[in-house]
Amino acid sequence: MFEQAFKNLDDTLRREAGCTTELDYTEQSSWLLFLKYLDDLERARSQAAILTGKPYTFSIDEPYQWSAWAAPKNEKGEIDHNVALTGDDLLEFVNGELFPYLQKFKQSAESPDTIEYKIGEIFGEIKNKFQSGYNLRDALDEIDELRFQTQDEKHELSHLYEAKIRNMGNAGRNGGEYYTPRPLIRAMIRVVKPQIGERIYDGACGSAGFLCESYEYLRQQKLTTKQLETLEKHTLYGKEKKSLAYVIGIMNMILHGIDAPNIVHTNTLTENVNDIQPKDRVDVILANPPFGGSERKEIKETFPVKTSETAFLFLQHFIKMLKPGGRAAVVIKNTFLSNADNASRALREELLTNCNLYTILDCPGGTFIGAGVKTVVLFFEKRDPQWGVGQSQEANGQLSMLPMATERIWYYQLDPGRSLGKTNALNDDDLKEFVEFQESFKESEKSWLVDVADVDRETFDLSVKNPNAPEEDPLREPWEILEEIAALDAESAEILADIGGMAGFGFAQPAPYN
């Protein structure tokens, strides 16, 4: 229905000198889509108010409404190009009047969970990058073809927008940090099994993939009107530091049917983990936190385990944010399982001691396009603080001062049977067996169980060592290989000599290997 409009929009963006990357295309599409969506939403609410005889006040004043400046219509319902701004006049209005007007909404909004606040937040973070008012006019005309009235229309638009985010992730550079493969997200959700009434949280939500897929997972159930309201307003929560990711995440959730997403634009790690109260804690955490970054010294000091690795700080935050009995699935680089540094070791001990780390999914190289590192997914459940008080546990002949909340870990080594890449990405079928086997912790050539009593209490090494993999043929000794090469050379020489004799001329035989 809308695929051609999206293709035309992309063509327009590629012609625009101010937009040079897939990140730019997604950013500029996002603010245009947001304003068109907002206009459709407000007009639908206005019509509903008229039918009930109630007054309705638009959030945006008339001169700044989409239908006034972006798409004024004639009597036939077509864009009136005699009235519609274009060229330098359009750029002057957008940069000099529209954006400054919308930026003020953040200060005047009643609370951060209102659509007005989101308006101010979005337009306070992004800029119009169109340098040609004529290209901008073309883009506005394409966006105006889109409609957000029905669930089917929103569903199609959400898929088209997801494709745009995926292209941004595949484009390389820093685009990939905003995109987690959706098949992996869906598998993580199916293992954790969030329920209506639980709070789901991602403290590094990026393009909100985990939140959107959680919404779709829960929407498949037969929900009452009250449950649907709970899902849309009181279930999905996220935080995001980077401006572009925040804007994309907001737009992505809106297209999935959530009018005022509960995403906060903030650096999650600036929050002191010791200040997290029981009321702040959540039931489910699904996340792929950034790794390899670094935070300021004063931020690191608020965490029990001091480290410069951003992903390790997020892991501590997530453990603190979980309610007792809460579940989490977190992507992290696979070196976390075996690194000998103090932070890695301390965090592994923390997971085994205070959480039930019940599953580790080992992902193949290429799962994350352009990431350059292999990853694992940690599935764990937070135990009650009173669990195991006064107990002790012996392992490997050593007496541990702390009882382990984790007794066994089920590992699964994901092997799609092919090399993953841009044109051969991970799909849902690749993860089907993992989800099925995980239900019963089934052992196979790809999966196995590890008894935590057998884990070294000095290193807490949890690295992936598959004991069930088929044995590979042993490597041959060098002298065996050289003997085989010499025998093959001799056989080739004999065949060439026979051929030469048949033809009436000879070939010089090569010297044998010494």
Side-chain angles (χ1 to χ4, degrees):
M1 191 189 311
F2 301 130
E3 188 173 359
Q4 189 58 50
F6 261 69
K7 288 181 179 178
N8 293 343
L9 177 61
D10 284 344
D11 289 341
T12 299
L13 290 164
R14 291 188 184 99
R15 295 197 304 269
E16 172 54 48
C19 300
T20 58
T21 68
E22 289 284 351
L23 273 73
D24 293 334
Y25 303 159
T26 308
E27 177 189 44
Q28 296 304 296
S29 300
S30 296
W31 74 260
L32 293 170
L33 280 167
F34 179 77
L35 290 179
K36 176 61 167 69
Y37 160 80
L38 190 60
D39 195 68
D40 281 7
L41 176 68
E42 295 248 86
R43 297 200 177 278
R45 288 179 175 176
S46 174
Q47 289 298 320
I50 291 171
L51 293 175
T52 58
K54 296 178 181 179
Y56 182 82
T57 303
F58 281 78
S59 300
I60 296 179
D61 293 337
E62 197 277 333
Y64 305 101
Q65 293 171 14
W66 177 273
S67 51
W69 68 271
K73 303 292 175 60
N74 58 27
E75 294 177 354
K76 297 180 180 179
E78 300 170 344
I79 293 180
D80 188 345
H81 288 284
N82 293 320
V83 178
L85 295 171
T86 191
D88 291 343
D89 291 340
L90 178 57
L91 286 180
E92 186 177 335
F93 172 79
V94 168
N95 296 329
E97 297 184 45
L98 179 67
F99 268 63
Y101 168 77
L102 297 174
Q103 288 163 3
K104 295 176 182 177
F105 274 64
K106 185 176 178 179
Q107 286 71 39
S108 59
E110 293 180 0
S111 66
D113 60 357
T114 60
I115 192 69
E116 289 80 10
Y117 186 91
K118 304 302 179 190
I119 294 170
E121 189 80 289
I122 288 173
F123 288 92
E125 297 300 334
I126 62 174
K127 295 179 180 179
N128 169 39
K129 291 187 177 179
F130 281 88
Q131 295 178 6
S132 166
Y134 298 101
N135 285 335
L136 178 53
R137 167 46 55 198
D138 289 343
L140 292 171
D141 292 351
E142 295 300 338
I143 292 288
D144 194 61
E145 294 293 318
L146 310 178
R147 296 184 303 277
F148 299 82
Q149 279 89 359
T150 69
Q151 198 61 41
D152 286 343
E153 288 169 348
K154 287 184 179 180
H155 185 71
E156 183 187 354
L157 286 169
S158 70
H159 277 280
L160 291 168
Y161 192 69
E162 280 279 353
K164 189 174 284 293
I165 297 172
R166 183 174 62 250
N167 292 338
M168 181 182 71
N170 292 344
R173 289 195 285 179
N174 61 344
E177 69 187 72
Y178 306 130
Y179 186 77
T180 303
R182 294 330 187 226
L184 179 61
I185 291 177
R186 287 191 283 269
M188 292 165 66
I189 292 169
R190 287 196 288 270
V191 169
V192 174
K193 296 184 176 69
Q195 302 295 320
I196 290 289
E198 293 184 321
R199 291 207 301 165
I200 303 168
Y201 171 69
D202 182 356
C205 67
S207 61
F210 284 100
L211 301 178
C212 290
E213 289 295 340
S214 295
Y215 177 81
E216 293 296 332
Y217 173 84
L218 292 170
R219 277 280 289 152
Q220 292 172 9
Q221 305 174 15
K222 292 183 178 179
L223 304 179
T224 65
T225 302
K226 186 174 182 181
Q227 286 176 324
L228 183 57
E229 183 181 1
T230 297
L231 173 59
E232 293 179 352
K233 295 183 178 179
H234 309 295
T235 299
L236 306 165
Y237 297 86
K239 295 174 184 172
E240 175 54 44
K241 175 183 177 180
K242 296 194 174 182
S243 301
L244 175 56
Y246 171 79
V247 173
I248 293 171
I250 288 284
M251 194 65 237
N252 202 16
M253 291 188 73
I254 283 173
L255 288 175
H256 278 81
I258 303 163
D259 290 343
N262 294 312
I263 298 180
V264 180
H265 186 210
T266 185
N267 181 356
T268 303
L269 299 179
T270 58
E271 301 172 17
N272 191 324
V273 292
N274 298 312
D275 294 337
I276 295 173
Q277 302 298 314
K279 64 179 178 61
D280 303 320
R281 294 193 170 101
V282 298
D283 303 281
V284 173
I285 288 175
L286 297 156
N288 175 21
F291 50 79
S294 183
E295 294 290 340
R296 301 189 307 273
K297 183 178 179 181
E298 63 269 22
I299 291 178
K300 302 174 194 175
E301 292 302 315
T302 67
F303 288 85
V305 178
K306 307 296 185 287
T307 174
S308 60
E309 171 56 63
T310 304
F312 294 176
L313 298 177
F314 268 107
L315 189 55
Q316 294 179 72
H317 171 79
F318 292 146
I319 293 172
K320 286 283 188 180
M321 279 293 292
L322 272 182
K323 292 179 179 178
R327 297 100 63 207
V330 179
V331 180
I332 200 164
K333 56 185 178 181
N334 71 344
T335 52
F336 164 74
L337 299 178
S338 58
N339 277 351
D341 61 281
N342 290 336
S344 297
R345 181 202 166 281
L347 280 173
R348 291 196 295 268
E349 183 177 10
E350 166 82 2
L351 273 173
L352 296 178
T353 303
N354 294 325
C355 301
N356 176 19
L357 177 61
Y358 57 89
T359 291
I360 295 177
L361 171 63
D362 181 40
C363 299
T367 299
F368 291 85
I369 307 298
V373 297
K374 287 192 66 180
T375 57
V376 294
V377 184
L378 309 176
F379 295 85
F380 56 92
E381 177 183 354
K382 188 172 181 179
R383 288 290 173 88
D384 191 288
Q386 297 302 311
W387 181 87
V389 171
Q391 299 181 29
S392 62
Q393 187 171 338
E394 194 170 351
N396 297 334
Q398 302 172 358
L399 185 65
S400 172
M401 299 301 293
L402 296 171
M404 297 289 107
T406 304
E407 296 179 356
R408 294 193 306 173
I409 304 172
W410 184 74
Y411 287 78
Y412 184 92
Q413 200 161 38
L414 184 61
D415 180 11
R418 65 186 192 282
S419 296
L420 299 178
K422 289 182 182 180
T423 58
N424 202 3
L426 199 68
N427 61 51
D428 288 301
D429 286 340
D430 294 329
L431 289 142
K432 185 177 179 181
E433 183 183 85
F434 161 70
V435 175
E436 290 177 355
F437 284 13
Q438 202 279 334
E439 286 279 352
S440 59
F441 302 120
K442 182 178 178 179
E443 294 192 75
S444 67
E445 289 185 354
K446 297 179 182 179
S447 57
W448 64 99
L449 284 163
V450 169
D451 194 327
V452 171
D454 298 329
V455 172
D456 188 296
R457 294 300 176 87
E458 292 296 327
T459 64
F460 291 96
D461 191 320
L462 301 176
S463 53
V464 177
K465 299 169 185 174
N466 186 351
N468 299 336
E471 290 187 11
E472 296 180 359
D473 293 334
L475 295 175
R476 293 184 295 167
E477 296 293 332
W479 61 268
E480 293 180 301
I481 298 172
L482 289 172
E483 278 191 355
E484 183 176 345
I485 292 173
L488 290 171
D489 278 349
E491 184 180 343
S492 298
E494 185 177 341
I495 292 170
L496 287 171
D498 289 344
I499 294 172
M502 291 170 62
F505 52 85
F507 288 95
Q509 295 187 13
Y513 279 88
N514 292 324

